[in-house]
Each structure stands twice: as structure tokens, then as C-alpha cells.
Amino acid sequence: MRAIIFLLMGIAACPAAMSPAVVPFEKEPQKRLTPALSAALDNLVATKQKAAGIPRARPCSDEVFLRRVFLDTIGTLPTREEAVEFLKDKNPTKREALIDRLLERPEFADYWGMKWGDVLRVKSEFPVNLWPNAAQAYDAWIRASLRQNMPYSEFARKLLTADGSNFRNPPVNFLRSAGSREPAALAAAAALTFMGERVANWTPEKRADLAVFFSRVGFKKTGEWKEEIVYFTPPPADGTAPSSARLPDGTLVKIPPESDPREIFAQWLVYSSNSPFAKNAANRIWFWIFGRGIIHEPDDSRPGNPPSNPELLAWLGRQLQSAKYDTKQFLRIILNSDTYQLSPIPPDGKPRSGADLASYPVRRLEGEVLIDAINRITGTKEDYMSMIPEPFTFLPDDMRAIDVPDGSITSSFLELFGRPPRDTGLLAERPVNVTASQRLSLLNSKHILNKINNSRKLKDLVQSAPGQAEAIPLLYLTFLSRYPTSDELAAISAYQPPAASGKRQKLSDVAWALVNSPEFLYRH
Amino acid sequence: MKSLIIPSHAGLSRRALFRYSFLTTAAMLLGQRTGFSLPAEPVKLTAKAQAVIQIWLWGGPCHIDTFDPKPDAGHDFCGPLNEAISTNVDGIQIGRLLPNLAKQADKFSLIRSMTHENNAHETASYMVQTGHTEGERLVYPSMGAVVSLLKGYDAGYKGLLPPYIVLTEPQGRFSEAGFLGPKYKPFATGGDPAKTPFAVEGIVAEGISPEHQNLRRELLGKLDTLGRQFQNDPQFAEYRKCGDAAYDMILGEGAEVFDLSKESEELRNSYGRNTFGQSCLAARRLVERGAKYVTINYKGWDTHKQHFQTMNRKLPELDQGLATLLQDLADHGLLDSTIVWCGGEFGRTPRVQWEAPWNGGRSHYGKVFSTLIAGGGFRGGHVVGSSDARGESVVDRPVYPWDLTASMYELLGIDPDGTFPRTDDESVRLTPKIAGNVKSGGRLKEIM
């Protein structure tokens, strides 16, 4: 235990000179002034854990917190400078302050825009045929909404009820991305996206009922190439259109002929106390932060798949409502909690599912985040391509993968690391397992080896140190956002590449090993 | 359906076991690389062919100098290549620069009535590689990508190498995955099989010796500080298992399959010690180990100028490599289950352009051209269709690109009239519906 305290002091006081002897992932529990709502969250988690006899990991170290919160909020690694700055900061509220800063960074909208792009099927071609310039308008609208921190309730209403051109009023693309223009398909997309329910699990009657709310949506072409107008078609005068319909909670509502029934559904969805809207939204955000929903999968809510902690989910839904669907406000509650700030190391050495929140669930970085990290560290770029001719597409040379505006634009690396095809909007489209082909690519592909071996940026970094020994902490801070341990320094010091290889080979091999380590590859 | 990947019956042959072990040891679960594996179309046909080797003569080889000689057409058509030679099949003659192939004619058939009427490289390549017409709504995948989907991933293929492999350079967008997406793109080996080592992308890293690979691997283990905290964790166990599989490719079987020095010098020489010949040898080794579609992207057939000089240089290379491949596949018992087809996107103008600036060149010609096809259920020793006395137009039995792909699909046990598994749209078919402008001569029933 003394060693750990020593480690913390050591880092704070005197960075490079002292290397910790022990594992830099966790720290002793300390008294900490947790913000009230976050503490309430922790209580709900702890109550459940106590009742089930689930042990709890120790708090994570500052190093781990720093890297984790960067990745979870902005999908971007801290730079070496940001790491040094944060690690030496002695302010007891520095974690809270960092969360606030990150939520205001432009990359927040970039990264969460990518997540929403998966859910909302932002893709120009096959099987979701939005077409390039509509897909990009849609993407730009999503990211702008996130940048403005548009309340989620408003965001959802716009997606459900917008009318107009796919180019000029981008949220109309939500209904265009449903795969089919049939009312039943539009209803299914709405139920999946905003209720977290798969209509395949519903009765045929319930499905037909929801479809009625989307039965007055019209689609028409214009003279402009690939433009499409989404609009309200009034019911035929012969009285054959239904004049009432049943909402998913069973309530029968009247549908006046002059009003778009989508509005009636959206009103119920957002405001009714029977609507799963808030809980579903809270659960999806929870999933994005912890890798596992309280209902899991978050888009498979049904009686046979109950929440692992119903009280917590209900409470989170209420918090989102009382924050007026301000996602950032809601994220602050989660990110400041002790639950979020647990060590990744299971308390009893037993592997756990993540559902019990005994420790922070470790999972592989998304392909986009991973390649962006490698590119930024090495100062290299990536080629993206689209399967289809995209006359409206301009991809800047230094575009990051999390910014790619269209699911049809991709790269071999992203495909290998499981970029979601954006065919269904299901969260499970994004695999987070590791495969042998992925490891082969990171270990031995020309693509990755060239980035590491020929990196001007890494060369400059290494040369900025007086000698090889001093360069190692710089590499560690750059790749892993922490200082090396004494064991790691000893292993590196003992390492000898074959004599024939060049002078720089040793540091190149260290950089290669860091990229390939689970600590780099997994959020933890 | 018969599958070499996951044998469902006991009593496997040694060769089948070899393939099986290659695929399983080299590979862990690939996982679902793009998230969703969608169900394959039910395939009702029996598969005679398990794999395809495509020899792609990019640029368009001249039909009358190769598989459809017209020695009586005169100097303006034949130039110096005015002789045909007999083959080991009565009545079949081929160009005189193909003496080794002449001894293998019982193994292959020649289609002398290929046609699509298009003289542009990219459009013609698209039609021949995908078996689709240019006017359809979507960009279709090449046949290799389709086979990689239906005979590969959806049929349980779990090899580390993609089931669709190109030696050595990719052919560009008109021969790739189309709307199926990059997962179905071919793995392009890079490197040169005629050199030692054959530096295959991702497997053989230039400048890193096996010894150095081992040292680096050891260093990586020592620096895995986080992983040591997760000794019993299944996720980290998977990470390590995948690493072992990757190193099997780098230091084991992957490196082995591309290590052509494992073959006898005699065999290597008979393939020809050049990039094409050694690519043919690599193709056989790949198919032997379970690859589903191997393309040899053999460039240099766009002979607007210096046509005959180029033929004198390239045809002996083609002759030696392809003839040895057919013999070698047969010797290994693989020819019956492996389709080999050789051709380009079109033929070349039968009338030689003697005038400047061509000075003895031939231009693009999509009206009639030839393709060689062998193995995998196609009968050898036959000629399908014919061209006129000067090789200028189809005389009988036209064969359109989609007739050829449909025939190959059928032998691979894939329904050519089926739709792609990722769509319910009945218009998104493996081969186009024959109607209106889409003409057909029918599948190659006479040699199947």
C-alpha cells in the first residue's frame, strides 16, 4: 500500500525521474467530494451490489481516468502535454473540471455524431439509399445538433416529424433511412430508435397500430437529381383512412384529418409518462459509456429482457427528464460518479460481465478511434474511399475517421476493425471483439509498420530527449498517457534488437509494442 | 452442401484434412467483421467446383494470336504469327507460341465466341469481372467477391487470409467488391513471387527477420502490464489467442503457403522463373489450402504498339505458366474441383494497324474474343462457338460475360438466378435478367 501512495506522490512531484514500481491502474479509496446527483447514482448501484454480494473494484488512478474520460467523451487520446498537465495538477476537483472541459470540446460532437450516425443509419448507398449529398446533409445536421447541445427531446421530434427536402431539411432523412417507405417500416424504425423496442417482438395488432401514425407520410421526387420531399399527405376524402389509432401504451387517440398523425405519436413519445422514451435514451447513453446497457441490448427492450437494475434505470430516466434532455448535463452525473471512476481490474480477479459494475468494463476501441489515435501519434494520414461515385464528397486530407460523414465512405482498416454497416440501426452492428486478422494488421501490416517506422513526428519526439533512456517516458506518455513502471524500463533496457537493424530500431520496436499492447487497444 | 472447410463426415482424405487444419490453426473466429452476418441464400445446386483460379490478362489479349488462330487470313491479320499448331485434341488448333498449352488441350475448352461489343477497358472489365451490364442501378461486385461471400464467409470460411486473393496487385475498382463493401475485397499479396522472399503484405514484413519477429513478440509480452492483471479474463485470453493465430501466419503456415521454395526446383522451373509463372504456382498452393478465388492479375496485354514483339515475349511466359498450372492441378487431384479461366476484358482488332503511329499494333475489340476455361466440372477438349474467317465477328453461339459467370456459378453450386443475400430486392440478382438489351447465348451446357 505504501508503494501506491509513493507512486502517486512520485508522479505528482517529479515526473520522469521516478518510475513507479507498481501497476499504475488503481489507487486507494479516498474520501472524495462526489457531486450530489452522482453520489445518488452510486448509492443506487451500491444498494444492488450489496444485496447481490458483488465486490467493488478500487478507484482508478488519475492516469486511467484521464485516458478513459478522453476516449469516452471525445473519442480522442490525450496528448502527451495534456497527460503531463493533468497528472501534475494537484487540485482535488481536477477530474470534475476535466469532464466539464471535454464536454465543451468540438470533438465531443464529432465523436457522438459518429455514434448517432450508426443509430440513425447515415449512409448513402445500399441498402439504405440516402444518396451522398443527403447523407452528408443528415450527418452535418446531427453533428450541429450535438454541437449546440440541442435537447434530445427536440432532436427526436425533429427526426420524427420533419417535412421537406432531403437536402434542405436534413432530419427528413430519418424516415428515408428506414429501408422501406412502407408505414410499417417507418414505425419499426421509430420504435427501435426512440423506444428501444424491436417490433418483431410485438403483436401484429400493435405493429399495425403504430403504422397508422406513419400512414400519411408521402415521398416525392423533384426536378433536382436525387432530391426527395417528405411531406404530409392528407387522408382521402372518402373516409377510408382510420380516424383514430392506438398508441403503443394502448391509449386510443383521435386522428383529425388535417393533422399529421406523426405529431400525435411524437407528442406521446416525448411527454407521456407511459412512454419508454427517457429510459431508453438514458440506457443508450449508459451503454455508450459502460459498453453494456442496464437493459441489454439497449435496443431490445421487452418483457423477457428486463433491466439488471430497474431502480437505477428509472432514476436515470428521471434525471434525463429533469435535465430537460440536456445530454451533457446527464453525462456529467455519470462521469463524476464513483461508479464510472472505478479501476478496470476486477476486485476478486474474477472476470465479470459488466452488468454488475464491479469494475470498469474493458473493451476494444472502435476502429475509428484506434486509427485516429495511431494517425495522430505518428502524424500520418489515411485514405478513405467510397464504393460509389460521390460528386458532392470532399474528404480533406487530414480527415479523422470519427468525422467521416457517410457510412458508405470507409477504409480497409475500418472494415477490418468492424465499422458498422449502418444497415439496421442496431447497436450490435458494431463488434468490439478482437480478431486474429486485426492483430495481424497491427502486428505486421505495411500500413501500420510504415506509420510507426517512418513517422517524422515520433522521430522528432525521440530526438527531443537527451538520450534513449529519457525518450522512453516520452513514448509512454504519448501512447499510454502515463509514465513507464520500473519493470517496463528494465525490460526495455534489456531488449536488444538484432545487430543488423539500425540505431533507431530499439525505440521503433518499443513504439510498435505499445501500439500492440492491450492497454493501447482497449479502453480501460 | 459439400464443404471443405467444415467436413461433416468422417474418413477425410489426407488432402482435405490438410486444408482443414490450415484453416483452423491459422484462424481464430474472425468474428463478424461488419457486424451482421446475414443468412446465405439457400443453395440447392450441387457444387462440382470448390475454387476458382482466374488468369486476368488485363488490357485485352489478341484472340487470333492465342486461342482462335486464323492462319489463312493473311498478313494484314496475322502478321508474323501466321501459323497454328495442332494440340493433343484432334481438330483443335491454337497459336504457335503456345506449344505447352497444345499438350494440355484435353484439359481445357476454348470459348471463341465471347462478345459484349464494348471497346472501353473499364466498362468491358466491369462486365467481364462482374457478369453484369453497365446500365444497372448498382455497382456490382466482381465474381471473386461474390464467391468470397457465398462460398467463403457465409459458408463458414474462417481463414485469416480472405478467401479472395489477388496475385499480386489489385485490379482497381471495376473488379472489386461493389456494393458488398470492402470486406469482400480481394487480399492483394503485393511483393513478387519470383523473388526470395516473396514479401506478402501483412505476412512477410520486409526488413524484419523471423528472429527479430520473435524478439519483438517477446518484448510485447513483457510490456503487457495491463494484460498481466487479467490472467483469467476471457477477453484477454481471446486477445492472446488471436495473437498466436496472427503469429502462425507470420512465422508459421501463412509464411509457409507463400514460401515457394518448399516446391522442387524442377517444378518451379517448369512454371517459369518469372512473376507470372511463380504466381501460378502460388495460386495452386493457395487453392490447395482452401482459398476460394485466386486472381492472377497479369498485366501488359494492351498492345496498341509493338504488338508482335510483346506477343513474342509474353505468350511463351503465359504458355509455360498456364500449361504447368493445368498439369500440376491435375497431378494434385485439384483440377476437378478448381475452375481455371483465362482471358481479358476483350480481344484485339483482327486487322493489324501497320500504319504510324501504331506500326504494327492492335486496338480494343469487344465484338468477339476468346476465353480459355478448364476444370471444376467444365469438360476439356472442346471448342464453344466460333468467329468468322478473320476473327471479326461471332458466327455461332455467342457467349456473353454473364453466360460465362452464370455457368461458373452453377458449377460452384451457386444459383445464378438468385438474389444477393443482403437484399430482398428481386432485381439485385447474381446475374442479370435476360430481357430487352441484355442478350444471352445461354449457359455453357455443352461443356458442363
Side-chain angles (χ1 to χ4, degrees):
Chain A
M1 294 307 114
R2 263 169 48 208
I4 292 165
I5 292 156
F6 171 75
L7 138 74
L8 291 169
M9 287 168 35
I11 283 172
C14 176
M18 283 190 187
S19 284
V22 292
V23 182
F25 303 119
E26 51 188 22
K27 64 176 194 179
E28 284 295 282
Q30 298 169 335
K31 268 235 152 14
R32 167 171 171 258
L33 203 60
T34 309
L37 286 174
S38 303
L41 182 159
D42 289 329
N43 275 334
L44 284 161
V45 174
T47 307
K48 164 95 192 192
Q49 286 174 332
K50 251 176 227 147
I54 296 166
R56 206 172 157 90
R58 292 201 271 185
C60 67
S61 65
D62 277 350
E63 293 88 333
V64 165
F65 174 77
L66 167 77
R67 189 177 178 87
R68 178 188 298 172
V69 76
F70 264 76
L71 288 169
D72 287 345
T73 54
I74 66 171
T76 303
L77 284 187
T79 62
R80 180 173 57 89
E81 292 82 1
E82 283 166 336
V84 170
E85 176 96 357
F86 182 77
L87 295 179
K88 75 175 183 211
D89 187 350
K90 292 198 185 98
N91 191 327
T93 60
K94 69 177 180 178
R95 292 190 181 191
E96 214 175 325
L98 177 62
I99 290 166
D100 287 342
R101 282 203 304 279
L102 288 171
L103 291 176
E104 293 315 312
R105 294 250 305 237
E107 298 102 316
F108 173 80
D110 300 335
Y111 181 51
W112 288 67
M114 176 189 92
K115 293 173 185 283
W116 274 109
D118 296 343
V119 170
L120 298 177
R121 293 173 281 215
V122 183
K123 185 180 190 185
S124 61
E125 189 161 334
F126 200 77
V128 173
N129 288 308
L130 290 178
W131 298 110
N133 44 357
Q136 292 186 40
Y138 190 19
D139 180 79
W141 180 82
I142 292 166
R143 294 188 202 241
S145 307
L146 291 163
R147 209 158 284 131
Q148 297 152 17
N149 202 23
M150 179 190 288
Y152 172 69
S153 48
E154 197 185 327
F155 182 73
R157 282 186 67 113
K158 287 195 164 144
L159 290 167
L160 282 169
T161 63
D163 276 339
S165 153
N166 54 341
F167 301 157
R168 290 165 187 83
N169 193 22
V172 300
N173 287 297
F174 174 70
L175 295 180
R176 294 182 70 246
S177 71
S180 149
R181 308 282 152 95
E182 293 302 312
L186 305 180
L192 182 75
T193 312
F194 301 112
M195 299 168 65
E197 296 184 27
R198 302 178 186 180
V199 294
N201 300 319
W202 289 7
T203 62
E205 295 75 34
K206 191 172 175 183
R207 267 182 265 170
D209 286 337
L210 188 58
V212 172
F213 293 94
F214 294 88
S215 60
R216 309 261 43 101
V217 182
F219 298 89
K220 65 183 172 194
K221 302 280 177 207
T222 75
E224 190 176 340
W225 190 65
K226 302 295 184 197
E227 187 178 47
E228 189 172 45
I229 306 288
V230 177
Y231 66 107
F232 165 59
T233 55
D238 60 9
T240 51
S243 60
S244 65
R246 216 170 272 284
L247 287 159
D249 67 355
T251 316
L252 194 66
V253 286
K254 278 210 157 29
I255 302 179
E258 69 285 358
S259 60
D260 189 334
R262 279 185 290 163
E263 299 276 0
I264 300 167
F265 169 69
Q267 188 72 15
W268 169 84
L269 179 76
V270 175
Y271 294 110
S272 165
S273 54
N274 290 332
S275 159
F277 182 69
K279 273 200 233 177
N280 171 246
N283 190 41
R284 178 166 40 215
I285 293 171
W286 187 270
F287 166 82
W288 275 334
I289 296 296
F290 288 102
R292 196 180 164 93
I294 299 166
I295 295 173
H296 194 73
E297 302 279 333
D299 46 27
D300 191 18
S301 175
R302 61 190 148 85
N305 184 25
S308 58
N309 185 340
E311 295 76 20
L312 174 63
L313 183 58
W315 183 85
L316 289 168
R318 286 198 301 278
Q319 295 314 307
L320 190 57
Q321 282 169 326
S322 40
K324 303 210 165 21
Y325 291 99
D326 176 337
T327 305
K328 290 185 183 178
Q329 198 50 43
F330 180 71
L331 273 172
R332 270 187 198 95
I333 301 173
I334 297 177
L335 299 176
N336 278 302
S337 69
D338 292 348
T339 305
Y340 176 70
Q341 299 185 13
L342 288 178
S343 152
I345 298 167
D348 47 6
K350 283 192 204 135
R352 298 191 170 272
S353 70
D356 54 21
L357 300 164
S359 53
Y360 178 86
V362 173
R363 62 254 193 236
R364 179 171 67 70
L365 295 181
E366 302 96 319
E368 295 91 331
V369 172
L370 183 62
I371 195 66
D372 283 349
I374 293 171
N375 283 343
R376 191 158 83 158
I377 287 173
T378 56
T380 54
K381 289 166 188 167
E382 206 64 11
D383 285 331
Y384 295 99
M385 54 95 156
S386 174
M387 287 169 262
I388 48 169
E390 302 219 13
F392 306 97
T393 305
F394 169 70
L395 298 175
D397 209 23
D398 56 351
M399 171 165 258
R400 291 172 309 165
I402 61 169
D403 289 337
V404 168
D406 173 351
S408 293
I409 300 171
T410 186
S411 71
S412 309
F413 186 92
L414 292 186
E415 293 302 316
L416 182 58
F417 282 79
R419 174 153 218 253
R422 296 187 172 176
D423 291 347
T424 62
L426 294 172
L427 292 162
E429 271 193 0
R430 182 181 283 283
V432 290
N433 59 327
V434 70
T435 68
S437 305
Q438 292 167 3
R439 291 223 50 203
L440 186 61
S441 158
L442 291 172
L443 287 167
N444 211 41
S445 72
K446 214 189 272 174
H447 178 223
I448 299 299
L449 295 186
N450 282 351
K451 280 177 189 291
I452 298 170
N453 295 337
N454 306 339
S455 166
R456 184 77 245 170
K457 209 169 160 184
L458 283 179
K459 206 181 282 178
D460 289 347
L461 177 73
V462 163
Q463 280 170 357
S464 73
Q468 278 207 349
E470 292 84 355
I472 303 298
L474 299 181
L475 287 177
Y476 265 80
L477 284 162
T478 304
F479 284 97
L480 300 182
S481 324
R482 65 170 173 87
Y483 293 95
T485 66
S486 51
D487 283 354
E488 288 163 341
L489 288 177
I492 292 167
S493 157
Y495 175 71
Q496 276 312 326
S501 49
K503 201 171 68 173
R504 287 183 61 240
Q505 192 62 51
K506 180 165 177 168
L507 291 177
S508 207
D509 287 356
V510 170
W512 167 89
L514 296 181
V515 165
N516 278 285
S517 69
E519 198 175 339
F520 187 79
L521 193 56
Y522 291 83
R523 58 178 80 228
H524 57 271
Chain B
M1 205 179 97
K2 213 173 120 189
S3 165
L4 286 169
I5 306 294
I6 302 166
S8 52
H9 52 87
L12 294 165
S13 71
R14 198 182 140 268
R15 191 168 307 283
L17 266 176
F18 186 36
R19 292 194 193 194
Y20 180 61
S21 76
F22 172 68
L23 293 164
T24 47
T25 45
M28 296 297 103
L29 283 171
L30 260 177
Q32 295 170 338
R33 292 204 304 184
T34 60
F36 270 55
S37 76
L38 292 126
E41 284 287 283
V43 177
K44 295 169 211 87
L45 302 164
T46 323
K48 287 186 187 158
Q50 295 299 338
V52 179
I53 296 174
Q54 176 197 23
I55 294 171
W56 179 245
L57 307 181
W58 177 230
C62 178
H63 49 299
I64 71 176
D65 297 333
T66 55
F67 304 137
D68 191 10
K70 306 286 177 187
D72 302 329
H75 184 68
D76 278 356
F77 290 82
C78 300
L81 296 178
N82 56 359
E83 270 175 64
I85 54 173
S86 296
T87 65
N88 67 353
V89 176
D90 280 351
I92 300 183
Q93 291 200 313
I94 57 176
R96 74 165 163 90
L97 292 177
L98 303 171
N100 290 299
L101 276 170
K103 294 179 200 145
Q104 303 289 339
D106 57 325
K107 298 193 178 63
F108 61 77
S109 289
L110 296 171
I111 307 166
R112 288 180 171 162
S113 51
M114 291 294 303
T115 181
H116 53 52
E117 309 259 349
N118 195 299
N119 290 340
H121 286 295
E122 294 202 328
T123 311
S125 294
Y126 175 77
M127 289 196 282
V128 176
Q129 294 269 30
T130 64
H132 278 267
T133 60
E134 53 177 322
E136 293 171 75
R137 183 171 63 89
L138 296 167
V139 177
Y140 278 81
S142 67
M143 190 184 164
V146 174
V147 171
S148 147
L149 168 72
L150 297 175
K151 298 284 291 182
Y153 296 116
D154 279 4
Y157 182 91
K158 293 194 174 75
L160 253 189
L161 286 173
Y164 175 20
I165 296 167
V166 173
L167 294 150
T168 57
E169 288 174 38
Q171 293 148 290
R173 58 177 290 216
F174 288 103
S175 60
E176 293 198 336
F179 65 74
L180 289 181
K183 173 178 174 182
Y184 301 95
K185 269 174 62 165
F187 168 74
T189 60
D192 180 355
K195 288 192 180 143
T196 307
F198 176 15
V200 177
E201 167 60 25
I203 295 175
V204 181
E206 278 178 289
I208 307 178
S209 63
E211 178 210 358
H212 193 180
Q213 288 280 11
N214 278 319
L215 285 170
R216 274 159 61 113
R217 187 181 186 181
E218 209 175 290
L219 175 69
L220 172 56
K222 284 186 179 150
L223 298 185
D224 182 10
T225 307
L226 183 68
R228 266 193 295 283
Q229 303 296 313
F230 287 85
Q231 294 296 351
N232 306 317
D233 185 278
Q235 187 171 213
F236 282 77
E238 188 65 19
Y239 163 87
R240 287 187 281 264
K241 225 164 97 180
C242 290
D244 293 344
Y247 274 107
D248 272 352
M249 290 303 276
I250 299 169
L251 297 165
E253 300 228 38
E256 197 273 335
V257 67
F258 290 111
D259 183 358
L260 304 183
S261 70
K262 302 273 191 230
E263 301 284 340
S264 73
E265 279 298 298
E266 189 193 346
L267 185 66
R268 291 195 76 183
N269 291 340
S270 84
Y271 269 101
R273 299 304 286 250
N274 51 62
T275 304
F276 173 71
Q278 299 301 301
S279 294
C280 289
L281 174 55
R284 191 219 81 212
R285 289 176 65 85
L286 284 164
V287 164
E288 194 176 21
R289 285 159 181 79
K292 290 290 159 193
Y293 199 103
V294 181
T295 295
I296 298 171
N297 187 16
Y298 189 15
K299 297 179 192 176
W301 299 89
D302 193 18
T303 49
H304 290 279
K305 296 178 180 182
Q306 303 222 318
H307 171 81
F308 294 102
Q309 292 92 322
T310 311
M311 290 302 103
N312 279 320
R313 196 179 68 244
K314 288 192 87 80
L315 286 179
E317 206 178 83
L318 173 69
D319 180 54
Q320 197 183 356
L322 179 53
T324 307
L325 176 63
L326 294 171
Q327 183 63 53
D328 196 22
L329 283 171
D331 291 347
H332 281 78
L334 290 166
L335 190 59
D336 291 342
S337 59
T338 307
I339 296 171
V340 179
W341 66 300
C342 172
E345 65 269 40
F346 38 51
R348 304 204 78 79
T349 41
R351 185 182 286 278
V352 181
Q353 295 167 295
W354 295 113
E355 71 278 13
W358 314 112
N359 302 318
R362 294 189 192 269
S363 188
H364 308 165
Y365 205 74
K367 206 169 165 191
V368 62
F369 56 104
S370 300
T371 294
L372 174 149
I373 192 152
F378 285 108
R379 283 205 300 277
H382 289 263
V383 169
V384 176
S386 63
S387 62
D388 64 17
R390 293 166 160 182
E392 289 180 316
S393 57
V394 175
V395 168
D396 70 343
R397 213 272 181 241
V399 177
Y400 293 87
W402 34 95
D403 297 330
L404 179 59
T405 50
S407 308
M408 289 192 273
Y409 286 142
E410 186 180 317
L411 288 180
L412 285 159
I414 297 168
D415 178 9
D417 295 321
T419 54
F420 276 90
R422 284 182 69 184
T423 174
D424 297 329
D425 185 343
E426 283 180 15
S427 70
V428 187
R429 294 160 46 105
L430 262 73
T431 49
K433 216 179 177 74
I434 308 305
N437 289 333
V438 185
K439 290 181 270 184
S440 166
R443 292 180 207 163
L444 304 169
K445 290 291 182 194
E446 55 269 55
I447 53 166
M448 289 163 70

